[in-house]
Amino acid sequence: MFTTLLTVLWRVLEVLTATLGLATLVATLLPLLRRESWWIRVFDFPRLQVVGVCVLVLVAGLLLDFQHEDWYGPALLVAVAAATVYQVVRILPYTPFMRKQALPSTRPLDDRDCQISLLVTNVLMTNRDASRCLGVIRHADPDLILAVETDDWWLDQLRGLEKDYPYTAYAPLPNTYGLLLFSRLPLHEPQIRFLMDDDVPSFHGFVELPCGVKVRLHGLHPKPPAPQEAKTSTRRDAELLLVGHEIENHEGPTIVAGDMNDVAWSHTSELFRRISCLLDPRIGRGLLPTFHADHHLLRWPLDHVFHSAHFKVARMERLPHIGSDHFPIFIQLSYEPKAESQQLKNVERPDEEDWEEAREKIQKGRQEEQEEETGEASGNKPPYVPGELQSRLLPGL
């Protein structure tokens, strides 16, 4: 009887290990498809978790003697080992083991004339404890605050910041895509735009450093590929690449920040980095996962700051829990005249294939949006013009 139970248990473990192994292969192969369906793109996210399961499968497979099974046992172990190597290679740039893409600043942290600090926070619209968020903001003391998932209630709670942050741009919405920007530095040409969705705002403008340098600033929060939000990643990708296309024609200092609802190592994020010629300060510093704040084993970096080679990184860190499902992210950048030439070799450049893919994704995003709108609204949308940032301004801004 005992021997029978052991045999059954052994068989169950074999089946479970084989099933997990096949699942890791599916999770590794599906993201290679350039399809935008949410159930494919969702596998861009958990690469670190997939590595963990791969290692578990390899250890279990060896203990269960898979290598001496028929052909399928060794084949499965080899395939899972290859998947592990591939996933690690994709994640490795975003660890401290690799060379930093954005160089560290050597200026003192208190030399603020040509520095800018930014805090990005997804507050979770249903979170009704603003005190923790305000406490983190006060402690971090950033120059700019970009708060997303903000409705009118959150605007009322954060209005007290206006005393120290007199330059603002507001688009509070009840749909989890509201956006608020607070700045202690002067804003120039601030605009709230709706790039791909009528109900998803983004910020675009310039912020002036104390030394007089004007920095182009974009704040984004596109919809994620999820069945309850967007069935595809098409418009998320298009919004990011549309901004990247615009930045490519701008030679001045630039920052793009926000909850991108995409991980740094996804194909689209890497394509955006090449199209915009921006740097990712996470590369060589660490994953700094910001979502999900409540689940230690299911976290990945969704909140990002990209910047041009004019800046070096003085400081970057993930901030404490504020009651949201996201951790805030903080970065302090130093504008340095020699930084651009020193970091030029680190800037990734697009090739013609990248440009063609970006144009196709933007056109596809426009088409998907028009298909969701009724006839008259669709007819009012102008076609995409390369190099031009198509947008609609928020009335009354």
Side-chain angles (χ1 to χ4, degrees), residues 376-387:
E376 183 179 354
S378 300
N380 289 336
K381 171 76 74 162
Y384 170 67
V385 179

Side-chain angles (χ1 to χ4, degrees), residues 47-155:
R47 292 197 184 276
L48 188 61
Q49 289 76 15
V50 171
V51 169
V53 177
C54 282
V55 171
L56 184 64
V57 168
L58 290 173
V59 172
L62 293 173
L63 292 176
L64 295 170
D65 212 22
F66 270 28
Q67 67 271 31
H68 293 133
E69 294 281 351
D70 291 333
W71 65 269
Y72 61 84
L76 179 64
L77 291 182
V78 170
V80 172
T84 306
V85 172
Y86 173 76
Q87 297 283 15
V88 169
V89 168
R90 293 304 305 269
I91 298 169
L92 200 57
Y94 306 93
T95 68
F97 304 110
M98 301 300 286
R99 184 171 57 88
K100 294 178 176 65
Q101 187 179 62
L103 299 176
S105 173
T106 55
R107 282 183 173 173
L109 288 176
D110 58 357
D111 182 9
R112 304 293 292 270
D113 279 354
C114 279
Q115 291 189 355
I116 181 171
S117 56
L118 172 65
L119 185 151
V120 178
T121 179
N122 181 320
V123 300
L124 182 64
M125 191 181 75
T126 56
N127 172 22
R128 289 312 188 221
D129 179 9
S131 61
R132 295 170 71 181
C133 179
L134 287 166
V136 167
I137 289 172
R138 297 294 187 190
H139 185 264
D141 192 31
D143 296 317
L144 290 96
I145 303 155
L146 178 65
V148 299
E149 270 203 41
T150 40
D151 56 6
D152 286 323
W153 184 90
W154 272 98
L155 176 57

Side-chain angles (χ1 to χ4, degrees), residues 10-61:
W10 190 270
R11 184 56 183 163
V12 169
L13 289 175
E14 286 182 333
V15 172
L16 179 60
T17 300
T19 302
L20 287 175
L22 292 173
T24 62
L25 297 181
V26 171
T28 300
L29 293 173
L30 276 180
L32 297 177
L33 301 176
R34 294 290 176 254
R35 304 291 183 181
E36 290 89 7
S37 300
W38 73 266
W39 60 271
I40 293 178
R41 293 279 57 91
V42 73
F43 288 104
D44 285 327
F45 294 65
R47 292 197 184 276
L48 188 61
Q49 289 76 15
V50 171
V51 169
V53 177
C54 282
V55 171
L56 184 64
V57 168
L58 290 173
V59 172

Side-chain angles (χ1 to χ4, degrees), residues 167-183:
Y167 306 98
T168 60
Y170 298 149
L173 292 172
N175 63 354
T176 74
Y177 291 99
L179 179 149
L180 307 175
L181 181 73
F182 298 86
S183 176

